[in-house]
Amino acid sequence: MGMGMDNGFYLYALAKSDAPIIDSRHALLSQMGLDDQHPIERIESGGICAFASRVVIPEFETELKEKIKDIVWLERTARRHDDIVRFLSSRWSVVPVRFGTIMKSAEGLMSFLDQNREQLHDLLDELDGCCEMGATIWFDKKLITKAMQARDRDLQELAAKTETAARGARYLMNKKFQLLEEEKFNSMVEQFCQAIKESTQRTTRKFLCRPLQPDRANSTLLKISIASLVPIALQDEFRHRLNRMAEAKSVEGITVQVTGPWPTYSFSHFAQTLEAAERGSKAYVN
C-alpha cells in the first residue's frame, strides 16, 4: 500500500464487500478522514471491507496526548468521527467502530477481517436496515420517595413503628426504613424500564438497559439509558410508542427523553474485539 513504518489506518466502520464503491480509486468521493487530509478508503478481505483513512501514528498519538483534556477539541474530533460514521451508515449497513481505533498495518486489519468474516457477516445481517434508538430516563429520587411515603402502606406502617420505638431501637428501625425505601425505589425503576421494553417491543429487535447511575450534570438526579435496535422504517413508531408510554405512566420526578436515530454502536460488539486484534490495533481512547 506504499505506507511508511509510522503510518496506520484510522477506522470508522465495517461493511460487506458488496457495498457499492463510490469511485475507481476506492475512495469515498468528497469525504476526507479525521485529519481532513486523507480520503476514506476501503480495505477488503474475507468478504468484509473496512472504511478507514490513513494516519501518521506518532503525530496522531502526540496530538491526542496533548489535547485529551481539551474538551472542546475532543468533542469536535469525536463529532467529526461520528459524522463520518453517520455518512457511511446512511448508505450501507455497517458495524460502527469506536472513536480512536487505529490499526498499525493493513495486513493486521485484513487478517482480522478474514478471521472473523462469518461472525461479521452474521452481525451485519442482524444490523441490516436498522438504526439505534434510545432514551434517557431521569429519576428525582427525593421527589419520588417522598411520594412513596405518602401512599405506600408498608412504608407508612414502618414509619409509625419507628416513631414510637424506644430510643435504642429507633436507630435500627430507621435503617430498616431506609432499606425498604431503597428497595421500593429500585423496584419502581425496574418496573418502569420493563414497561418501556414492553411498550416498544413490536418495533425493537434488541433492547439494552444500562444500570442506574448518578447524573454528572445534576447531582440531585439519577438516570438510566436504554438502547434499542430498531428497523429504520419503524423509528417514528418507536418514538411515538415510547412517548405515549411515558405520558401514560407520568410520575412526578421522572423525565423521559427519546434519542436517536444513531449508528448502531451499542449492538456492534465487534468494535471492541477489533480494538485488541493481533496487537496490530491500538485504541487510544476508551
Side-chain angles (χ1 to χ4, degrees):
M1 298 242 174
M3 295 180 63
M5 291 293 291
D6 291 334
N7 288 343
F9 283 100
Y10 182 98
L11 303 181
Y12 305 99
L14 310 175
K16 291 184 179 180
S17 291
D18 57 9
I21 297 171
I22 298 297
D23 67 9
S24 60
R25 292 177 292 106
H26 286 213
L28 293 171
L29 193 62
S30 76
Q31 281 295 314
M32 302 302 289
L34 203 68
D35 61 2
D36 283 324
Q37 297 180 24
H38 297 89
I40 301 172
E41 304 179 42
R42 293 161 50 112
I43 298 91
E44 302 182 23
S45 186
I48 301 293
C49 70
F51 293 102
S53 59
R54 304 187 187 209
V55 65
V56 179
I57 293 177
E59 291 181 5
F60 182 85
E61 185 174 21
T62 298
E63 182 178 33
L64 192 57
K65 286 180 178 179
E66 290 176 351
K67 296 186 176 180
I68 191 65
K69 295 182 180 180
D70 183 342
I71 299 301
V72 174
W73 177 88
L74 190 59
E75 287 182 351
R76 182 176 65 248
T77 308
R79 191 178 300 115
R80 173 62 178 157
H81 172 95
D82 188 60
D83 286 344
I84 293 171
V85 174
R86 284 172 177 267
F87 170 84
L88 296 169
S89 62
S90 70
R91 287 155 175 79
W92 305 282
S93 292
V94 303
V95 176
V97 176
R98 292 170 60 188
F99 170 65
T101 303
I102 293 176
M103 292 294 289
K104 291 183 177 178
S105 69
E107 292 74 16
L109 175 55
M110 289 188 289
S111 176
F112 172 84
L113 297 177
D114 187 58
Q115 291 174 12
N116 295 281
R117 61 182 181 276
E118 291 184 8
Q119 298 96 317
L120 286 168
H121 271 284
D122 290 344
L123 178 57
L124 283 161
D125 285 340
E126 183 179 282
L127 301 179
D128 187 29
C130 290
C131 62
E132 181 173 325
M133 296 291 293
T136 303
I137 306 103
W138 288 274
F139 300 90
D140 188 322
K141 189 175 182 180
K142 186 175 181 179
L143 274 178
I144 293 169
T145 53
K146 183 178 179 180
M148 284 182 175
Q149 292 169 16
R151 67 173 184 269
D152 187 280
R153 182 172 297 180
D154 293 337
L155 289 173
Q156 290 172 351
E157 290 179 355
L158 188 55
K161 290 179 181 178
T162 301
E163 288 181 4
T164 59
R167 183 176 180 182
R170 191 172 300 169
Y171 173 81
L172 293 177
M173 295 290 285
N174 272 324
K175 285 292 184 182
K176 186 176 180 181
F177 180 87
Q178 292 169 9
L179 289 172
L180 180 60
E181 188 178 67
E182 185 75 12
E183 179 184 325
K184 288 184 176 289
F185 174 79
N186 289 335
S187 177
M188 181 277 300
V189 170
E190 184 178 342
Q191 290 172 20
F192 195 87
C193 292
Q194 183 63 29
I196 290 177
K197 181 178 181 180
E198 292 174 358
S199 68
T200 60
Q201 190 170 12
R202 202 192 79 80
T203 63
T204 301
R205 291 187 184 176
K206 283 191 171 183
F207 179 89
L208 297 175
C209 184
R210 296 180 175 87
L212 189 69
Q213 60 183 340
D215 185 353
R216 294 179 181 177
N218 188 335
S219 60
T220 67
L221 300 177
L222 299 171
K223 71 174 184 178
I224 278 180
S225 297
I226 67 165
S228 296
L229 185 64
V230 177
I232 293 172
L234 297 178
Q235 61 180 290
D236 289 338
E237 183 180 347
F238 172 90
R239 187 184 301 274
H240 173 72
R241 285 174 173 268
L242 185 48
N243 282 330
R244 188 172 60 183
M245 188 285 301
E247 292 173 3
K249 290 187 172 291
S250 179
V251 175
E252 186 179 9
I254 299 179
T255 305
V256 179
Q257 180 181 5
V258 183
T259 61
W262 313 107
T264 55
Y265 286 108
S266 297
F267 303 95
S268 301
H269 53 273
F270 260 94
Q272 295 178 353
T273 306
L274 178 57
E275 291 174 3
E278 297 206 353
R279 296 188 181 182
S281 69
K282 185 168 185 179
Y284 292 107
V285 176
N286 290 325

